[in-house]
Amino acid sequence: MNILVINGSPHARGTTALLREKFTEGAASAGHNITTFHVCKEELHPCTGCDHCRTTENGCIYKDGMETLNPLLINADCVVFVTPLYYFGMSSQMKMVIDRFYANNTALRSLKKKAVLLAACGDTDSWTLDALYQHYQNICQYLHWEDLGSIQAIGMYTREDIENSDYPKAAKILGQSLV
């Protein structure tokens, strides 16, 4: 399986980075091909809703990091969304990329894909990731993608917190379980 990991965290050694590392380790051990797109290392622009992508044959008006991501996205069998919690939702960087899916809606909705969510936050309330998870579920439903699971790591404010938890092991197992 071709797995595209979209990393929406700006922190190279943060909590979601460890989830991503363990997930990809597990998926690689199961024989999957993995490509990671680091959103925060790319020059990207937000969707302005100009409909240039829909009214011309030239795609999005912006020629930026999405030019690299789009073919990876189209060719992926599974898309993994990796994001820290930003004020009860995904990171703004991740949201910007997902908004730009708009230019490929027809293709993305017609291609049979699978999806995974890896998310972490420092808050300890059980409901903290509910809105982020619901947004992910809505994206899967809209795109007709199959949800293969998620790791929702609450109470993981620092790298040390998550290193001392069961979440990394769960992420590795999730990666290994993909078929």
Side-chain angles (χ1 to χ4, degrees):
M1 181 181 330
N2 288 321
I3 299 174
L4 172 62
V5 176
I6 303 176
N7 176 29
S9 175
H11 303 288
R13 298 237 347 114
T15 55
T16 56
L18 184 57
L19 293 178
R20 177 180 48 80
E21 291 162 12
K22 292 300 180 181
F23 174 87
T24 57
E25 184 181 309
S29 73
H32 300 295
N33 299 315
I34 301 140
T35 303
T36 302
F37 182 84
H38 297 280
V39 174
C40 299
K41 293 182 180 179
E42 297 288 335
E43 179 184 333
L44 296 163
H45 296 86
C47 179
T48 61
C50 70
D51 274 340
H52 184 268
C53 60
R54 299 283 176 104
T55 58
T56 72
E57 294 184 20
N58 298 325
C60 184
I61 196 164
Y62 295 116
K63 303 305 177 198
D64 58 12
M66 290 301 290
E67 297 290 302
T68 301
L69 179 60
N70 285 333
L72 299 171
L73 187 58
I74 297 297
N75 292 320
D77 301 305
C78 179
V79 178
V80 180
F81 299 95
V82 182
T83 183
L85 183 72
Y86 275 28
Y87 224 80
F88 306 101
M90 63 186 65
S91 72
S92 56
Q93 297 91 333
M94 177 68 81
K95 178 69 167 75
M96 182 170 44
V97 165
I98 291 171
D99 286 349
R100 294 280 300 279
F101 283 12
Y102 180 71
N104 296 299
N105 265 355
T106 302
L108 293 176
R109 293 187 80 202
S110 66
L111 296 169
K112 188 173 181 167
K113 295 193 182 296
K114 299 173 182 184
V116 170
L117 172 67
L118 304 175
C121 67
D123 292 309
T124 58
D125 292 321
S126 62
W127 56 265
T128 305
L129 288 168
D130 289 355
L132 188 156
Y133 182 69
Q134 185 60 56
H135 188 191
Y136 162 75
Q137 288 288 300
N138 291 349
I139 290 165
C140 289
Q141 183 176 359
Y142 175 74
L143 294 173
H144 311 292
W145 292 2
E146 179 185 357
D147 172 22
L148 295 183
S150 68
I151 303 296
Q152 300 176 52
I154 64 170
M156 301 293 114
Y157 191 73
T158 67
R159 176 80 176 212
E160 184 179 359
D161 291 338
I162 202 161
E163 287 172 343
N164 294 318
S165 76
D166 292 332
Y167 292 120
K169 181 179 179 184
K172 184 175 181 177
I173 291 169
L174 180 58
Q176 290 169 327
S177 74
L178 299 184
V179 290

